[in-house]
Amino acid sequence: ASTESQKDRLVTEEEWLRKWETGNIGFHKEQGHPLFQQYLDVLLNGRSGLRVFFPLCGKAVEMKWLADMGHSVVGVEVSEQALKEFFVEHNLPYCEEPVPEISGAKMLQSISGNITLYCCSIYDLSSSIVGKFDGVWDRGALVAVNPCDRQRYVSLMITLMEKNSSYLLVTVSYDPNKHKGPPFYVPESEIKSLFG
């Protein structure tokens, strides 16, 4: 299947915000993603106290699971509503503060300090702001970024990873001529060329 039919597709930040506002969030999994449980050992690799990054995190329940296991979780999402819903739905008290390095951005952090969620564009983040990570759970990010932004996204992700980090990536396989995305179709060959 050719991804040619999707290469010029653009989804704006406003469209993503509207999805959250209208509850059009079929991509959110209330029970968590089954592949997370299946491959959790690959991500953790017997290690404890990891820093794990959730790009375009929404209100992913896996963030709470990892925090409860003693790991530190950092996520980024443009929808403040999604982030606040995450804390409310898990009865987690949190504080909110601006991010001085990013105009208009907010950081929402659990009072316990092990879950930190940034409300901004992922492209505004850098390792100088969020540090580096031992693991990444990319359940719907690479397939959600606009095809023209994939290289920029992957380049950023690589700069956020520690040397021995694990990157769990979920993609979707389908005929891109029959669905305009998102989620976008990202063939394995492209994943390999993007990440090296």
Side-chain angles (χ1 to χ4, degrees), residues 166-182:
S166 303
Y167 195 112
L168 288 188
L169 172 66
V170 178
T171 60
V172 186
S173 186
Y174 64 84
D175 181 347
N177 297 307
K178 294 188 174 147
H179 178 65
K180 63 183 183 170

Side-chain angles (χ1 to χ4, degrees), residues 68-82:
D68 287 348
M69 293 168 67
H71 303 288
S72 293
V73 170
V74 175
V76 63
E77 169 64 50
V78 295
S79 170
E80 186 175 346
Q81 176 184 338

Side-chain angles (χ1 to χ4, degrees), residues 15-98:
E15 286 176 79
W16 285 112
L17 292 172
R18 206 162 34 254
K19 284 178 183 290
W20 282 100
E21 286 162 13
T22 59
N24 182 15
I25 55 168
F27 47 81
H28 174 68
K29 301 227 179 280
E30 291 287 338
Q31 305 305 316
H33 199 289
L35 290 172
F36 181 79
Q37 296 287 15
Q38 189 176 341
Y39 291 99
L40 183 58
D41 292 345
V42 174
L43 181 67
L44 301 180
N45 195 18
R47 302 171 296 169
S48 58
L50 300 184
R51 291 190 82 233
V52 182
F53 186 54
F54 281 67
L56 314 188
C57 62
K59 56 179 184 174
V61 297
E62 295 92 340
M63 295 189 291
K64 171 90 165 60
W65 297 349
L66 278 176
D68 287 348
M69 293 168 67
H71 303 288
S72 293
V73 170
V74 175
V76 63
E77 169 64 50
V78 295
S79 170
E80 186 175 346
Q81 176 184 338
L83 300 180
K84 287 183 171 177
E85 285 178 11
F86 169 80
F87 287 111
V88 169
E89 289 170 10
H90 294 284
N91 297 313
L92 288 171
Y94 67 97
C95 56
E96 192 178 306
E97 58 189 68

